[in-house]
Amino acid sequence: MAAGLIGWLLARYAPHTLRPAAAHGSDGDDRAPLISDDALHTEAPSRRRTGRILGIGLLLWGAPLVTVALLTGTGSVFTTQGVFFSGTALVTFGGAYAVLAYVAQQAVQTYGWLGPGEMVRGLALAETTPGPLIMVVQFVAFLGAYRDPGGLDPWAAALLGALLTTWVTFVPCFLFIFLGAPYIERLRGNRSVSAALTGITTAVVGVIANLGLYFVFHTLFKEVDETGSGPLHLLVPDLASIRPSALAITAAALLMIFRLRWSVLRTLGVCAALGLASAAVQAL
């Protein structure tokens, strides 16, 4: 909200700060797209269409959550996960890594569904696929429901939690797309909305950097304390608890990526092999 407000204020009082810089080597030739926007938007916005999509989307979104709440109670881990990830789908911007910063904070510190180290492993698991968000939210919900299954078998509870979380996280995405598509061009032409979204986009860079630091600290150090006052919190690692093997693998990864210019896939493969070797040595 603060980032959106700052973007709006800059557009109003210092609009030159939000103008994109010209691309290097650009000749200023604004060519028309191969497929015009008019050809893509075949259905004009209407209240009837909006109401129909909103009704169907809210029914699909809310029915499983209401059913789980009635069957397991409003205080069950399933209802809590459904409500939390529904809210996550509504308030997070910026893609998977921006969402995961919020999920990591709430799942570990607020709800205690898993520990910081487990959250790191969940992200590592997600990096083996092109879709990190769905993997991590399933992983978080799976562990949280497995450890608090209520009257269900832990494995059945974990599966139910993962399925419910996936549903309530991604159904809103389709709802927003179908609901907002006819209006998107109008929003793009609205300078105030565009400026607010520019501010949010800029803030997302900081959110992703925060997630990176979170995982760096909990990977390289065994003990990480938190200090702060009010809304400000700072992670302070215990330097004496550093993991030498993790630090060495991190250094090797940086060398392969930035110095040797290796691909991400190749780098991940080498780092995975180094991790297996390190674990084997420590087990001896």
Side-chain angles (χ1 to χ4, degrees):
M1 292 176 64
L5 178 60
I6 292 172
W8 178 81
L9 290 173
L10 288 175
R12 185 175 180 86
Y13 298 105
H16 61 280
T17 60
L18 297 181
R19 293 173 184 168
H24 181 70
S26 175
D27 56 2
D29 182 17
D30 296 329
R31 299 180 181 179
L34 295 177
I35 302 177
S36 66
D37 289 336
D38 294 336
L40 296 176
H41 305 153
T42 57
E43 187 171 356
S46 65
R47 292 184 178 179
R48 181 179 179 181
R49 177 186 180 278
T50 300
R52 184 173 67 252
I53 292 177
L54 189 61
I56 295 174
L58 291 178
L59 178 63
L60 292 174
W61 186 7
L65 181 57
V66 172
T67 302
V68 166
L70 291 176
L71 294 178
T72 65
T74 56
S76 69
V77 67
F78 310 106
T79 306
T80 302
Q81 288 179 346
V83 172
F84 167 69
F85 285 105
S86 293
T88 300
L90 287 175
V91 302
T92 48
F93 295 83
Y97 293 103
V99 175
L100 292 179
Y102 177 66
V103 171
Q105 182 186 54
Q106 297 297 312
V108 174
Q109 299 177 8
T110 302
Y111 297 105
W113 289 327
L114 71 174
E118 293 171 325
M119 192 71 201
V120 172
R121 288 190 285 275
L123 184 65
L125 171 67
E127 290 305 317
T128 63
T129 72
L133 178 59
I134 187 172
M135 293 286 287
V136 177
V137 297
Q138 283 183 339
F139 180 79
V140 170
F142 189 95
L143 286 184
Y146 183 87
R147 289 167 176 167
D148 186 15
L152 298 177
D153 177 80
W155 287 102
L159 181 61
L160 175 61
L163 291 174
L164 177 65
T165 294
T166 303
W167 184 264
V168 301
T169 300
F170 289 97
V171 166
C173 299
F174 293 97
L175 174 60
F176 294 155
I177 291 171
F178 292 124
L179 195 62
Y183 303 93
I184 196 67
E185 294 304 318
R186 192 178 305 175
L187 292 177
R188 285 175 58 184
N190 188 311
R191 294 185 177 180
S192 297
V193 173
S194 296
L197 292 177
T198 299
I200 293 174
T201 301
T202 306
V204 165
V205 178
V207 174
I208 295 175
N210 172 73
L211 178 68
L213 290 176
Y214 176 89
F215 287 117
V216 164
F217 288 152
H218 288 289
T219 300
L220 298 183
F221 299 92
K222 297 179 182 179
E223 301 292 337
V224 180
D225 299 323
E226 184 175 329
T227 184
S229 177
L232 301 178
H233 298 274
L234 181 66
L235 295 177
V236 182
D238 182 1
L239 299 181
S241 65
I242 193 170
R243 294 186 172 100
S245 59
L247 181 61
I249 295 174
T250 300
L254 293 173
L255 176 65
M256 288 181 280
I257 288 288
F258 294 106
R259 183 69 176 179
L260 303 179
R261 303 292 182 181
W262 284 10
S263 67
V264 173
L265 185 61
R266 186 180 181 184
T267 303
L268 287 176
V270 172
C271 290
L274 292 175
L276 286 173
S278 173
V281 170
Q282 293 177 9
L284 295 177

